[in-house]
Structure formats: C-alpha cells, structure tokens
Amino acid sequence: MMTKIEQRRCFEHASHSTAKRVLRNVATIAVALFASWNASQSVSQDSATGNTASQNSQNAHAGTLSMHSLLKRECFDCHGDDSPEGGLSLTQLVNQEFGEPQRQAWWKVLNNVRAGTMPPPDNGSEITDDERVELAKWIKFDVFQINPADPDPGRVTIRRLNRTEYANTIRDLMGIDFNADVVFPPDDTGFGFDNIGDALSLSPMLVEKYLAAATEIVDRAVPKVRRQIPAIYLSGRDFENNSSWNLKADRSGKHQVKIENAGDYTVKIKLRTSGTFEFTPQRGDLTVMIDDQVVHTGNYGWDESKIHWLEFPKNWQPGEHSIQFSLKSIPLTDNAEINKDYGAFLSIDSVVIEGPADRSAWTIPQNYRRFFPQDDPPSDPEALRAYTRRVLEEFTTKAFRRPPDQQSLDKLVSIAQKLMDPSGDNFEQAVAQAMVPVLASSRFLFKTEGLEASNGDTSRYARVDEYALASRLSYFLWSSMPDEELFRMAARGELRANLATQFQRMLRDPKSKAFTTNFVGQWLRTRDVEKTSIDALAAMGLRKEFEELRSKFSGRRRPRTEAERNAEDPETKARRERFQELVSKRDLLDAKLKTSMRQETEMLFSHIVKENRSIREIVNPGYTFLNQKLVDYYGLKDFPGMADVRGDEMRKVELPADSWRGGVLTHGSMLLITSNPTRTSPVKRGLYVLENLLGTPTPPAPPNVPELEDAADRFGGREPSLRELLAVHRESSLCASCHARMDPLGLALENYNALAMYRTVEAEQPIDAAGKLVTGEEFRDVRELREVIANDRRQDLYRCITQKMLVYALGRGLDYSDEYIIDDIVSKLEQNDGQIHVLLQSIVESSAFQRQRIAKPETLTSR
C-alpha cells in the first residue's frame, strides 16, 4: 500500500490542489462566497524546509570516516561493490553526498539495523548495542542533518475530512446523525489509515455529493419555525417488548401518558401490516382504546409493508391518560392449511401525542437554541441585520473551526438578507439557506490551518495557531471538531499553555471512544473482523464428512413424531444426530461472536488508555475482556472466575499466568483476519506481528511465488503440517530471507485454528509452536513469545506503536526527518515503563504536531 501511495503521490498532491479550487469555485458560483480566502493556505509547505546540510558538511564528513571502519567490518562483505545484496552498495553510498536519494537509502539502513535484522545475526555479526546506537546517531545527525534543538516538523498535506470525521463533525455541529458511509464513497487509505492527506482525493462527483449533502443536512437540522406544538413520541416498544405482533396469537399492550396542561390534543397512530414472502390468510382484529374507551376497531391481515394512519382528537385534563392496543387472532377454517414458516404481522410503528393546541403553550423547537440564541429575532431592521450577522458568525466559526474573515461573513449576511422578508417572519429559513454554502465550503471540508506570530519563538518552523491546534487535538482524539471549551481557550490564546489539562479532559470525554474505534480499528484491523469469512467446517477438517452426510439426508423429511423417531434404525439416527451437530458447528462463528471478538481487542486498548497502563499490556496483559459466548467459544468455562461471566455484556476477566489466552496475539480478532478461508496462514500471522507490533521491515514478495500447497507432493501422500510445508517453501533462496522473519512468529500461533479455537494437533501431528526470532530470541510457544515481545523486544514494540500513532495523528506518512521525534518518544516510554499517556502526550507536544514546515513570516499577527 505504501508503494502504491508513493507512486500516486505526485498525482494526488496535484489533485488536492485542483479539487480545492473546484470546490471553491462551485461555492463561489453558487453564492459568490469565499473568493477572498487567504492564498497562504495553499502555499507549498516544502518550499521553506531550510536544509542545513551545507552548514554541517565538515562534521558529516568526519562522522563518515568514524563509521567507515564499522561498516567495512560488518556490512561490506554483503553490500560491497561486487554484486551487492539487495542492490545496495554501502561502499558507494558512504562516499556520496547526502542528497535526498542517499538519505532515503540510509533510512532503510537505519530501520534494518534498529530492527536487528542487519547485520544478520546468524552471519556471525559482532556489532554491539553501543555501535548500533552510534551508527543511528551518525545517520540521524550527520546524514539526515536533524537538529535536536529544533526538529523538522515534516511535510503537511492539507487534509479533507474523511467519512467518519465528516459524520462526527455534522453530529457535533448540527445535532443530527448523518450516515456518510451511505452517501459518500469509501475513502482511500495510505500507510494503513483513511485520514491520510495524500490519499484523500476529491473528485467532481464527490464535490456534487458534498453540495447535495449540505442542502439535506441544513434542511433536517435547522428549525424553520420559532414555535411548534408540543409532542410526546412513543414507539411500539413502549406498549410491549416486541412491537411486531404475529396475527397467529392474541396480544395486548398498554401505556400511561402524563399530561401536564389541560387542552385539545391529537393522538396520531402509525400502524404497519406486513408478512413473509409467501401469502398467508391469517388475520386478526385490533381494538384501540384511549382512557378505556374504544376509539378504533379494525381487521388486519397479510400485506407488503402497508402503512395505516389513525388519528383521534381528545380534550384532556392534567393527569394520567392511557392508550391500549388489543389484538385478537381470528381462527382459521378447519380445511385451511398454513405453512408454519409463513406469517402475517401487525406493527405499532409510532404513537405521537400533539398538544395542547393553544399556541400560548407551544414550545421552541428542540434544535432551535443550537443555531439561534434568542427566542425571536429583533423587529428593527438594523438590529435584525446585526442579529443575522451574529448568528452566522457563530455558526461559521464552528464550521470552519476558526473565525471567518469579514468579507466572507459579509457575503453570508447578504445571502440571508436577500431571502428574508423585511418583517423577519422567515428569518430562520433565510439564515438556513446561508448555512448551506458554509457546509459546502473548502474551509469546512478541509482542515485548513493558520500560523502563529513569532512572539520571541526562536524555532525556524512556525507554530500552528491555537485554532489549528484545537482542531489537531480534537480530530486526533475524537475524530470530530473542537467543542466549546477548546474554542474558548483557542480564542483567548490559552490552549497551548493548558495543553496537558485539556488532553486529560479530552481522554475522559466519551467522544474519545472514536480514538479507539478508528485508530485500533485500522492499526490492528478490528474493522475487518465482522467482514471476515471463514469456512468453519473446512477449518476444523469436517467439510468432507459434512458433505457426505448432507448428500445422504438431502430431500428426506426429518422424523417429526416420537413414533417416527423410534422407528428410525440406530445407524441412521446416529448419522442424523451427527449431521445436526456439524450444522451447529458450521454456524458457530456468527455475527454476534465476531462483534464480541472485535470488542475484546478494542476494550483492551481502551482500558490501557483509560488507566494509563503500559503499552506492553497490548501483548501480555494477564487479563482480557469476555462475555459468556466468548468464554464458551474459547473453551475457558472451567477456568477460575469464568463461572461468573454470564450474558452478552463484555467484562474484564483475570487470566492465569500460564493461560493460552490474553493479549492481541491470542485474540479472536487477530486470528480470524490473518487466516485463509479454510485454514490458518502462518505467513499472514507472522507478517501481522512484524508490521503491527515489532515494526520490522519486510520487502515485498517476489513475483510468481508458488502456492504453499504445491509442495504437498513431497510427502508421499501424507498430509503435511504447515510447518513442514513452510520448511520446503524456505528452500528457495528468494523466499528464505523473508520467511525467516515471518514463519517463526506465525507458527507460534498454530495452536489456534482459523476460527481462533485452541488446538494441540494439526494434520494428525502434535503442533510444534517453538521458534526463534531473526534477532535470536527463542521461545517454545505463544506464551513465551508474548514475554519476548513485551520484554526483550519492548523497544521495537514502543517504536512500532509510536510510528503507527504518529501517522494517525499527523495524517501523513513518516519520513527520515521524523526519526528524532520517534526516538525521543521511545526513550520517554522506556523511562516510564511504556505508559500510554506518555506516548499520547509526547505526540501532542511534539514539533510535528504543533508546527509546520514553513519559515516563519515576521509579519504574521495572532488572531
């Protein structure tokens, strides 16, 4: 995926610029708005990087000489001038100037040296940890020319709101739910995430969809009247748990309504009749009573989702009033035959009680105060204009995540006034129309940012202003716009000074659940769990037996009576029971179970964040989150404490020290998404661990790699284990280097089949889960592998998660210029036992999060 993004980067960078102009022009043509947008927003942020390589060239040359002996000793045998492995000649690279291509090459060297994969440990390497550190320092400070006192914040691409961010922003801005997943096409991803600026292109079709969505959202969210008749809304479940009644049985439901004011009321009832695909003559009589008086009787039967409206005027005094539904099934004639699988249904969709009708008792619409601070607009023309401006300025400030410029605000006010009656009677409708272009504007759809004035700051890179910092924070932790408190602090210029306090407040806010859902959902791929398709019977080796039994019983009627069951011969009865057992196994991995697996992983991460626990617990926590369904599925019901786990609710459960469960390596979510439809995949599982937990570089697979099963004929008709097949696969020199990294990790998880069930045998052979990492650490099974990753390789874990989270927070891929920031964060994690708040807060406080790669204009003024 990274390769694909790199190939498209130039094109999509241009696409973003073009898309912004298209959207801005459309909005301008539609409402003559935003023509004066500050052109500095589109200035290339790569134009002022301030490369200081020439300033330190002499120091870099001296560092090169000091590293030459180390590279010659450890690297030149494989990466010398004569047929260098991987096409990398360090003998040439070390003598070249440190330009962009050379820095990219040295970046790969740095990543491999840090991961311990280079020099290869099995080649007799004698490089020490101190030498690795010194080599890393030389690459960072001499080759990359990183200034530790003023690190480069890196390249920033202006980012469009993705579908999730758009929906959440509309929810918090407009007060309604909007299903962006249905309206807009899926967002492209880059570097594993869907909030990457380079990947979020904008097509003309999407521009049209944004314009249509803006109109729909404003129409739904903004009240068009100042007062409305009060209403009480009830659903069918207010009358009975199941509001859909089968006409085969008698049913009844009653609800008490408390009326506060005397007056005329209207009871509006919405009924729905429906049925199964096949018609059935079953019918029923419905009686509706209000205050124990019959107001309606009707006969209802099968239909194709037909709506029936009932309306009853009532003059009520204050107090309790009742509404009751009674359904009586009509018996069928003796000769009527109905298939038991067919049905007709009557549903109570809604009951709305409107009143009192006296206008003096009418109320302000529910969402009115969100947009209009006063009960009524002023009658004076000048005061009305000022109020219009106030309303639109407050709305636009929230929508743009910063105050609008005065020229744009003037145009919005002009639009509203042109549509407004002089009396102001249609004030709400006119203002609503002026809100439409705001939601279609590039300043709403894109995360535009301003810069802060220098004010004595000595850094070469400009800090983003406080409004931009508020947006960066809120979209990182909430996937949505800033709230009122963030806006207030940004307006006062107090946010940066109170960043730690606001950071903690935002983590405690329920909206931080979006961080877990969106970050973990993509980093650990829990988003994919419910979409994963596994052939359960094939995964358990039962598909052949099932097909044989199904062919035997296909088309035969099951015994229905006790006499028929007793008359069946024992062998047939046993086979039938076995067939039913296999059917239950086939359907075991259902949607609810997959959801529980996803929740197990997400709740683990959420718990670590909430309690500020160590990142290492992602791999080796000693506890997990389960419900009864997962306990039974995982085979844990006999473990201590599991008897108390009942029902669908997920809860924290402590695990024994030697448990085969616990940590993401043993979660059903990970095991499912890294399996093939019919069997496990040690390669996929190993690659998952390398990419998402250890951060070990893995080159792409060579072309025309044969299928793993192609090696099965080497075993004389015996079904080989996956370990044996992979051993044959590694005989190819093209495959050996990568599989030496992946296979030990994947084979350590072979105790879990493709359904994430624990097992000890595969292909009628005991499973051997022992292995050795390419860095030399040995383990006997997944329990020891967890310990190795959480302890011996913890810095790899810290680094990998830091990189993933930094990509997510910044909305861009990482570059060599980010290495110092990553190292600094990893060092802080090492000093604080991996506490996750250290990671989160370090990202928020980093120059990459708070600054832009733009030379500071001395003329900038704070807003």
Side-chain angles (χ1 to χ4, degrees), residues 15 18 125 211 224 235 265 271 281 333 357 386 388 394 440 443 654 656-657 677 770:
S15 295
T18 301
S125 170
L211 290 169
K224 307 304 188 300
S235 71
Y265 290 79
L271 303 175
T333 59
T388 302
E394 289 179 359
R443 279 180 280 181
E654 298 295 331

Side-chain angles (χ1 to χ4, degrees), residues 278-290:
E278 295 291 340
F279 171 81
T280 174
Q282 184 70 62
R283 300 188 71 82
D285 287 327
L286 178 70
T287 300
V288 182
M289 294 193 297
I290 298 179

